[in-house]
Every structure is written in C-alpha cells, then in structure tokens.
Amino acid sequence: MELLIEQGSHWDTPYGEMRFANALADDVLLLHKVPTGETKFVQRAEFVKLLGEEKIRQIKLYKRRKPFIALDGSKAEREVLQECNDNEVFGPDEETGPEALRARTFQFYVKAYDKDPSVRLSKRSLGVFIHQLRPQAEERGLTHNVKPARLYAAIKNCGAPGDRPLRLFRSRRGKGTRKRLDEFVLGALDRACALYWRNRTWDYNDAYAAFRGEMRRENERRDAAGEPRVKYPKRMETLRRRITAGICHQNWKLKYGAREADHKFKGVRAGLSAERPLELVIMDHTVCKTFTVLDTSTYIPFKGRATLTVAIDVATRMPLGHLISFEPPSLYSVMTTLKRVNKNKDYIKKVFADIVGKWDGWGHPETLLVDNGLEFTSPSIKDALEDIGTEVVWAPVRTPEYKAIGERFFRTLDTMLFDKLPGSAVYDPKTMSALGLDPSKEAVISLGDLDRLIHQVIITYTNEEHSGIDNAVPAVVWEQKIRRYGRRFIPDLRQLNSMLGQVHTGQITRNGVRFRNMRFRDQKAVSYLLDSIVKDEPKRSQSGKRLSSARANIKFKYNPGDASSIEVWNHGGTPKHYVTLPNADARFASGISFWQAERIRDYAIEKKLPFDTDEQKWEAREALRKYYDSLWAERMRDRRDARRSAAQSMGTYEEADNAPDQQPIRIRTSEVVVDVDEAPLVPTAPPAGERDDDTEPAAGFAPSKASVKKAKETRERKRKEQEQQEKEEAKAKAARESAGKVDLNANGQTSYAERLKQKMNWQTGSNGRKDK
C-alpha cells in the first residue's frame, strides 16, 4: 500500500481513538478501537479523504516512567504511554524565557546522543558527553546547566530517536496535582464549590461557612469516636482559589442561567448578511425617547412617547419604511409598515416640500426577519406574508443582538434626532428623578412634526458612510446593487390592501357578509362569488328549500383602519383571487376604522340614538365626534380609547398621490417612499392565487394543555387564599369586638392607612379624584 503508516500507531478519527493493525488486500486498512479492541475496516480512499478534511490525525505516544507505590509500600516506576499533547506548547511570552532555554538545551543534547551510538547511559559516560558538547551548546546560546541524571531521564522519557518534539522537554515540575490535605477535606472543598455554583445568591462567605460547618461536624464525630481531628485551611483564600478555578460556561450556566453564560463565554455569532437588496429585511419596534404633545391627524392632545416601527434592508442598510404612532406595536402597525416598504416615496416632495434629498428605499422583500412579539406571530401576519410571497423568519427569543442592525439604527436615530429634541428622556427614570428633570413638561413637538424630522434624518442617514458596509454610503450601495440585481416589486399595489390585512372567516349569502355588526355586499360581486364557490361546499350545508339562499364558508381579510370594505377570497375562481365587498352603509363607513365604527354604535346604544338607516348612523358618528371635542381639556393621553382612535385614523400618504407637486397638504402620520432612476425592475406576482390551503381557517392562539392546567390551579389557589384571608379577618374582628376595640373598617369607615394617604394627597394639593 502506498501509505506509510507505522504499525501500532494511534489515530484520532470520527469513529474514536483507533490503533492501526495492518494493511489488507484491496487497499483496506485494519484498525482496532482503543481500548475495546473493536475491529474497523476502512478503505484507503476514505482514509485519505478524512485526512484531507482534517477529520483524522495521528496521536503521537511516547514511553515515560511514572512513579507509583508498590504493594510493599516502596516507591517504584513503570513505563506508560504519554501523549505528546499532554505537554503544553511554549507561548509567545515564554519562547525566550528560562524554561524554553532549558528545553532547547536538553533537546540539543538528546538529539546529539541519538546520533552517537558509542555513548553509554552510565553517569560517567554521560558526564563526559556533556563536557565535550558544552562549547557547541554555548555557541548556540544553550547555556542551561545539564546534569547527567537529568539527561538520562530526558533520553528515556522525551520521545524516541528521530522524533524528539520540543514540548516533551518542557519541565513538568509543579504541574502535577498535590494532595497535601486529607481526602475528607478535599471532598468538603469540592462540595462547598458545588454549592456555590448551584445557588445564585451564594457568595464566597456562604460557601466557606458551609465548608467550616462540615469540618466542625466531622471533628465532633471524630472526637466522639476517639479518632484524630482533621486539619483544614483556616483561611477562605483556599476555597476562593478553587471556586475561581471553576469559572467556565457550564458552572456559570448552573449559577446564573444559560443566557448569562452565553453572553459571558460564547463567541459572538457572525452578523446577518445578504448580498442582494431586498433579500433580507429586518422589522423592529422601539419607543421614542421624545415626548410628543399632539396627534396631528385627530388633534387629540396627547403627551406621551410614540412607538416607531422601522424596516431596514440588510444588504445595503437602506431604511425601507417606517410608522410612528401612539399605539403600542400591533398587527395594524406591522401591516401599514409593510405597505410602505412596497410603495415608492414620491409623496415626500408633495407632503414635505421643505425636505431636500431623495429616498429610494422601496421594493418587495424576499425574507422578513422579525422578533417573537404577538404582532409578528399572529395568523394574520403569516397569511399575509404567504399571500405576497415574503418568507418570514423569527429571531430567537430574548436575543436583541440577533437584530443588531435594527438596534443600531435606533441608536443612530437617538443620536441624530431624539436626544436633541426638547422633551427627550435622555436618562433612565431614576436618574431623571434624582436630577429633577421632567421631559413631559418640556415637550413641544407634535406627532406630524416628528414624522417630518424622521424623514429628514433617514435621508441624511442614507447619504453618510456606514461602518457596517465597509464605510460605504447606503444610498450609493443601494443604487449600485439595484442596478446589478434589479428591484423586486408588486405590479398591482391595489392587491396589498387585500393581502396585507387581518384574517377572518365567515359565511356569505345572497345578502352578503355580516361582520362586526356591519353588512358588506354588492349585487354583482356577491352573485359572482356564490356562483364560483358554492359548488365546492358540502351539500348538507345548503338548505333543502328550493327558494332559499345559497351559502358558503369563506375566508376574508380586512384592514382594521378602514371599515369601508373587506376582501373576500374567491377560492373557486380561475385563477384564485380576492373580491372586494363594500360596506352597505358606504357614507357612514367612509374614513373610519372598525374600532371607531363599533365605538359609534356603542355610543348610539348608550344614548338611545336611532341606528338603523345610513343617515341615523351618520348622525351618531357626528355626535361621537362632538363628544370627543368636549373632552379636549381632559387628560386624553390616559385614555386607551383615544390612543386607538388616533392610531387607527392615520392615513397612508395615499391622499398625496393625486396632489399637485410642491403643494404640502395636511396628512395623517403614516407611510414612506422615493424616485427610482434607471434601475431595472423585477415584477413579482404575489403567490396568493397559487395557494392550496385557502379553505382552511387561520389558526388562532390556542392555549396548551399545560397552560390551561396551570391557570386552573392558579385560580383555585387564589380562591383558597382569599377564603383563608376572609376567615382570619373574621377571627381578628371577633377578637377586637370581644376586647372592646373599635374596628376601623366597620360601617364604611376608612382605615388608618387610607386616611393617611388622603392626608398626604391633600397636603400635596391633590384631591384624590381619579381622571375620568
């Protein structure tokens, strides 16, 4: 066989440690597993392949004498196999040190001995040999004083003739384990260390106290048994060094948890990367540092911190869309941002005529990276992304570093904008309280002005160097890569309104679809839908009467911010597509959200207003608007109703599409896009019509059996605790009455704590009245 493998050599392989036995016919290698002796046949080609892939290596073993205690108690030595890697390699700071000099000197004499067979191993002969070679060694700078006995040990223990690696000549003095303490003491130290690493709150003092307690109990036992007392370290430093030596990922995970251990010991994973624009887009939320005083669209006087949603392209660091609103992250904000990502930004020169520059970030994303928030994991967002042909990827839970690109963009916004505005919360609440700062009192900016400033900052950001893309300019990189790879886009943006919506299921009849106490119908559209999909319905689902209406189960989508229509999925059409059903009360539903429509209906019922005809519904809508106007002076920022009303009345800059150039118009805070020069366009047809799972209703958030069981146990436990508390209060009350004491809670009187709280409120000028 062409491979020269030493018989009996050891190899580290994917099958474990193997010993080479022999070469058989047909280029077959016979290996034996160490130490079981299990036989393994390996083809020469496979052996060479593993060798090239660095999956196999030879383990160099050398004979050395290891001391041991014989049965008669005398000291003796025996030959053992030592792996070369057991000796440490000389580090960069040790290559010129005394230990490296000693090793090189011994290596020089041993190699010279291997070349001269006339030298004997007697002490006298080795002494003469060293004396003769000393001038040559000193010429090479090898000045370590070599003794004959130590040279004899090096010849025997440090490799074999022709194979004398330097690391084997390294001194192992002090490298072995020393056991100067009693076995019980060593075990107690190990147990104290284990207790330290198992308990998060334990420090060195707690571990040492446990060690001393175990030593005290052991000595008390020995005293009672007449045995000699055990000696143990009286200083905590011994235990502290052992605990420090145990610092590693495994122990840190045991004490502080896997996440903290990973942050401390695991290397940082490579950042997200993409080569083509729109190949990977990150979407994330953050709460703005700046307090905002007014919602521009509804003129409701909020004074709070808005939520910003941003989508960023990974390959070019180009922002593709954003949304700023008072409402916390929701499905509506995600859907609206997705629409802005897919639309160009031509509206900027119409809506924000004073902004100089261009924003060209728009297109159809291939993959969207999001976190595990409820707004991203709902069935509606999954269905919507499948419809438009965008793959969704969820980042690991509680790992903001996985979306570091988005986090860095938020920090850039803080530096360039939010930290510079009046009313900005630049410190944490505790620090601001200590400094006497109240950002809400300094807030002067409206939501619309903040939206305009964000547009300006984004344009500035895209025209500055970015270290994440090798100090290139995002706008330039975006333009270059768009010209090279093209721009994915959706040819018919009207489809976005139907596909990027919230998913719901229902039933359609001749009278249309009833949803959220409203009727959606159109004679031609309903006739077309029934004619297309009823044939696929089970026969038993239809009425047996000949003159009865046909009915069919459907899936439809709706925009929570627009109650004027819904989009019904025609799964029986060729090709499959969405059909728009308008609201039967078109005038009433124009420009309002589903939430607002429900609030108008609830208000009409509360005030006993008629709510049947379109005119009556319109009057109820106007009455509710006047009611909101009457609450202008109240603290509307504390009312969730007001926040939802403002958030769901935001426009999408679509009203700017038909406006003349350079004529700023009043808009509602919402969406973004830009001009495209001569970049190639790549139309991408949404795959909604090709899906075969359209008849299945979207799954909701069904709780698991474990969570249902846990909730039931929690309710039962709280019920028992409440019963026990009531019994104890009754006993305490009976005891006070028997002792002639007055019950402070009796007859509706408040307790001392409540009276004290009222007194403090009165002193600070508060009347204790809750806001309406």
Side-chain angles (χ1 to χ4, degrees):
M1 188 180 69
E2 65 180 32
L3 296 178
L4 299 178
I5 305 177
E6 182 183 356
Q7 191 172 6
S9 59
H10 287 239
W11 296 83
D12 183 17
T13 71
Y15 324 114
E17 183 178 345
M18 310 295 289
R19 180 175 57 84
F20 175 70
N22 201 355
L24 305 179
D26 298 330
D27 288 339
V28 176
L29 306 182
L30 175 61
L31 305 177
H32 293 303
K33 192 168 186 179
V34 179
T36 62
E38 177 185 349
T39 301
K40 178 71 175 179
F41 297 97
V42 180
Q43 292 287 339
R44 182 190 64 83
E46 182 182 358
F47 187 89
V48 174
K49 179 176 179 293
L50 293 174
L51 195 64
E53 294 175 351
E54 300 181 0
K55 295 182 180 179
I56 186 173
R57 68 178 182 89
Q58 184 178 1
I59 303 174
K60 288 187 174 295
L61 299 175
Y62 303 96
K63 292 181 180 180
R64 60 182 295 265
R65 290 198 304 273
K66 182 177 182 180
F68 71 99
I69 305 299
L71 295 177
D72 57 359
S74 61
K75 294 183 178 180
E77 293 182 346
R78 65 172 178 266
E79 285 190 347
V80 295
L81 290 177
Q82 171 194 341
E83 185 179 349
C84 177
N85 293 335
D86 287 347
N87 290 64
E88 299 176 3
V89 181
F90 289 100
D93 56 339
E94 299 176 323
E95 292 178 350
T96 58
E99 191 170 348
L101 175 63
R102 174 190 177 279
R104 290 193 179 95
T105 304
F106 271 100
Q107 186 187 44
F108 168 76
Y109 283 106
V110 171
K111 285 185 175 182
Y113 167 82
D114 292 339
K115 295 177 182 179
D116 190 352
S118 64
V119 181
R120 299 180 179 180
L121 290 176
S122 65
K123 185 176 181 180
R124 179 181 178 83
S125 178
L126 289 177
V128 173
F129 176 71
I130 294 172
H131 179 73
Q132 293 174 347
L133 289 180
R134 182 166 291 150
Q136 299 180 28
E138 291 179 350
E139 287 180 4
R140 302 184 181 190
L142 305 176
T143 57
H144 182 78
N145 187 18
V146 177
K147 301 294 183 181
R150 302 308 307 158
L151 179 58
Y152 174 84
I155 293 172
K156 288 294 185 179
N157 295 328
C158 299
D163 193 3
R164 305 281 191 177
L166 182 63
R167 65 169 68 178
L168 289 181
F169 292 92
R170 181 164 191 164
S171 174
R172 298 184 65 83
R173 178 178 295 179
K175 302 297 191 300
T177 57
R178 298 180 179 180
K179 295 185 179 181
R180 298 179 178 177
L181 299 174
D182 185 84
E183 291 292 340
F184 183 85
V185 177
L186 294 175
L189 288 170
D190 292 339
R191 288 188 288 274
C193 291
L195 288 172
Y196 171 85
W197 289 113
R198 288 194 190 116
N199 295 276
R200 186 182 183 94
T201 59
W202 275 38
D203 56 13
Y204 297 130
N205 294 315
D206 297 321
Y208 189 65
F211 168 72
R212 289 290 295 264
E214 187 172 356
M215 290 294 97
R216 184 182 68 255
R217 291 188 294 272
E218 174 64 14
N219 282 332
E220 290 175 355
R221 185 194 66 78
R222 294 193 176 200
D223 291 341
E227 300 176 1
R229 295 174 64 90
V230 64
K231 295 182 180 180
Y232 59 90
K234 297 299 191 296
R235 297 174 63 243
M236 190 171 60
E237 183 65 16
T238 302
L239 179 63
R240 188 196 66 79
R241 286 199 302 266
R242 287 175 174 264
I243 292 176
T244 303
I247 294 178
C248 62
H249 181 275
Q250 182 178 358
N251 284 337
W252 210 266
K253 177 181 178 181
L254 193 63
K255 187 174 181 70
Y256 300 108
R259 188 165 184 266
E260 293 189 32
D262 291 346
H263 274 272
K264 189 172 184 66
F265 292 98
K266 278 197 173 181
V268 178
R269 62 167 58 93
L272 296 172
S273 61
E275 176 61 25
R276 306 185 308 276
L278 301 169
E279 180 182 359
L280 178 61
V281 175
I282 291 178
M283 184 180 292
D284 203 359
H285 310 286
T286 189
V287 177
C288 301
K289 287 186 176 182
T290 302
F291 279 78
T292 312
V293 298
L294 180 71
D295 182 82
T296 314
S297 61
T298 62
Y299 294 99
I300 296 178
F302 292 115
K303 185 177 287 186
R305 295 165 62 180
T307 299
L308 176 65
T309 304
V310 175
I312 302 177
D313 179 65
V314 173
T316 62
R317 302 302 195 269
M318 169 67 78
L320 301 176
H322 77 274
L323 171 68
I324 184 168
S325 70
F326 280 112
E327 191 177 14
S330 64
L331 180 64
Y332 177 74
S333 60
V334 174
M335 296 298 189
T336 305
T337 307
L338 273 175
K339 291 179 184 178
R340 299 174 186 177
V341 169
N342 282 274
K343 289 190 62 176
N344 63 51
K345 309 300 189 284
D346 286 343
Y347 68 86
I348 292 182
K349 58 187 178 184
K350 301 178 181 180
V351 178
F352 306 113
D354 57 328
I355 293 181
V356 179
K358 186 177 68 171
W359 181 10
D360 188 43
W362 68 276
H364 182 194
E366 295 181 29
T367 305
L368 185 67
L369 175 67
V370 296
D371 57 26
N372 280 268
L374 291 179
E375 67 276 10
F376 289 123
T377 56
S378 69
S380 295
I381 191 68
K382 298 176 187 177
D383 193 277
L385 292 176
E386 289 178 4
D387 271 358
I388 67 174
T390 297
E391 181 183 359
V392 60
V393 177
W394 286 274
V397 180
R398 298 179 63 190
T399 54
E401 64 275 10
Y402 201 78
K403 307 187 301 300
I405 295 174
E407 300 294 336
R408 174 170 179 173
F409 179 75
F410 290 143
R411 290 199 304 270
T412 302
L413 282 179
D414 289 341
T415 303
M416 297 179 65
L417 177 61
F418 296 129
D419 289 346
K420 303 180 184 302
L421 295 176
S424 178
V426 293
Y427 306 113
D428 60 273
K430 183 177 180 180
T431 303
M432 289 191 296
S433 177
L435 297 175
L437 300 177
D438 187 358
S440 62
K441 294 182 179 179
E442 302 175 0
V444 295
I445 194 169
S446 67
L447 199 63
D449 292 335
L450 186 61
D451 189 33
R452 181 182 62 81
L453 290 174
I454 290 176
H455 278 80
Q456 182 65 72
V457 169
I458 288 177
I459 293 176
T460 303
Y461 166 84
T462 59
N463 287 278
E464 293 181 350
E465 293 183 353
H466 195 294
S467 60
I469 47 178
D470 299 328
N471 294 324
V473 178
V476 175
V477 176
W478 171 266
E479 182 180 2
Q480 293 174 348
K481 293 198 172 186
I482 283 293
R483 291 182 180 274
R484 178 179 179 183
Y485 296 103
R487 187 197 308 264
R488 286 165 44 93
F489 72 99
I490 296 178
D492 186 2
L493 289 179
R494 293 174 298 178
Q495 298 179 64
L496 291 179
N497 294 326
S498 58
M499 286 180 282
L500 292 181
Q502 203 159 331
V503 182
H504 206 274
T505 57
Q507 190 178 73
I508 185 172
T509 63
R510 291 181 64 241
N511 203 23
V513 179
R514 185 167 182 80
F515 176 61
R516 304 276 283 267
N517 296 305
M518 289 179 282
R519 180 70 64 177
F520 297 86
R521 64 187 173 201
D522 177 80
Q523 182 180 4
K524 292 183 178 180
V526 170
S527 301
Y528 171 67
L529 285 169
L530 289 176
D531 189 55
S532 300
I533 63 181
V534 168
K535 62 180 180 295
D536 297 327
E537 292 295 305
K539 188 174 182 179
R540 61 179 177 274
S541 66
Q542 306 299 314
S543 174
K545 300 179 181 180
R546 291 183 177 274
L547 298 180
S548 62
S549 170
R551 62 176 68 96
N553 293 324
I554 58 170
K555 183 181 76 171
F556 62 90
K557 293 188 177 182
Y558 67 97
N559 183 351
D562 184 9
S564 62
S565 64
I566 62 173
E567 305 292 334
V568 179
W569 179 241
N570 183 6
H571 57 266
T574 306
K576 302 173 183 179
H577 57 283
Y578 284 98
V579 176
T580 303
L581 285 187
N583 196 312
D585 300 316
R587 184 167 174 263
F588 161 73
S590 175
I592 64 174
S593 66
F594 280 90
W595 181 87
Q596 289 172 322
E598 290 182 347
R599 298 291 76 75
I600 295 171
R601 180 176 180 274
D602 294 342
Y603 183 78
I605 294 175
E606 179 185 353
K607 300 299 182 181
K608 298 182 179 180
L609 301 176
F611 199 74
D612 296 325
T613 64
D614 184 69
E615 187 66 29
Q616 292 172 346
K617 293 179 180 180
W618 185 260
E619 292 177 0
R621 174 177 172 176
E622 181 67 14
L624 181 60
R625 186 195 64 78
K626 293 180 180 179
Y627 173 71
Y628 274 127
D629 291 342
S630 67
L631 298 178
W632 176 274
E634 293 196 15
R635 297 171 60 188
M636 295 291 290
R637 66 180 182 274
D638 294 332
R639 299 178 60 90
R640 177 170 175 80
D641 288 357
R643 291 201 306 271
R644 290 180 61 91
S645 177
Q648 296 194 345
S649 64
M650 293 185 300
T652 57
Y653 297 124
E654 293 175 353
E655 51 193 281
D657 293 343
N658 299 321
D661 292 345
Q662 305 299 328
Q663 293 294 327
I665 63 174
R666 190 184 305 278
I667 53 92
R668 303 180 179 121
T669 56
S670 222
E671 154 169 283
V672 283
V673 218
V674 141
D675 292 352
V676 183
D677 290 336
E678 299 178 358
L681 300 178
V682 184
T684 54
E690 302 174 1
R691 294 179 58 185
D692 55 5
D693 59 345
D694 44 50
T695 58
E696 298 293 333
F701 290 103
S704 63
K705 294 181 180 179
S707 60
V708 172
K709 181 180 178 182
K710 183 177 179 181
K712 184 178 180 180
E713 293 175 351
T714 302
R715 289 193 297 269
E716 183 65 20
R717 176 175 53 80
K718 289 184 176 181
R719 184 185 64 78
K720 292 181 179 179
E721 291 176 354
Q722 183 177 2
E723 292 178 355
Q724 182 65 22
Q725 183 179 0
E726 292 175 354
K727 291 180 181 179
E728 293 177 355
E729 291 178 354
K731 290 181 181 179
K733 182 177 180 180
R736 288 195 299 268
E737 290 177 352
S738 62
K741 296 181 180 179
V742 180
D743 184 7
L744 297 178
N745 290 320
N747 301 324
Q749 297 181 4
T750 57
S751 64
Y752 174 76
E754 291 293 327
R755 295 200 303 274
L756 179 61
K757 183 177 180 181
Q758 292 178 3
K759 182 179 180 181
M760 293 175 64
N761 291 338
W762 178 80
Q763 291 176 347
T764 57
S766 174
N767 57 9
R769 179 180 63 84
K770 294 183 179 179
D771 297 326
K772 294 182 181 179

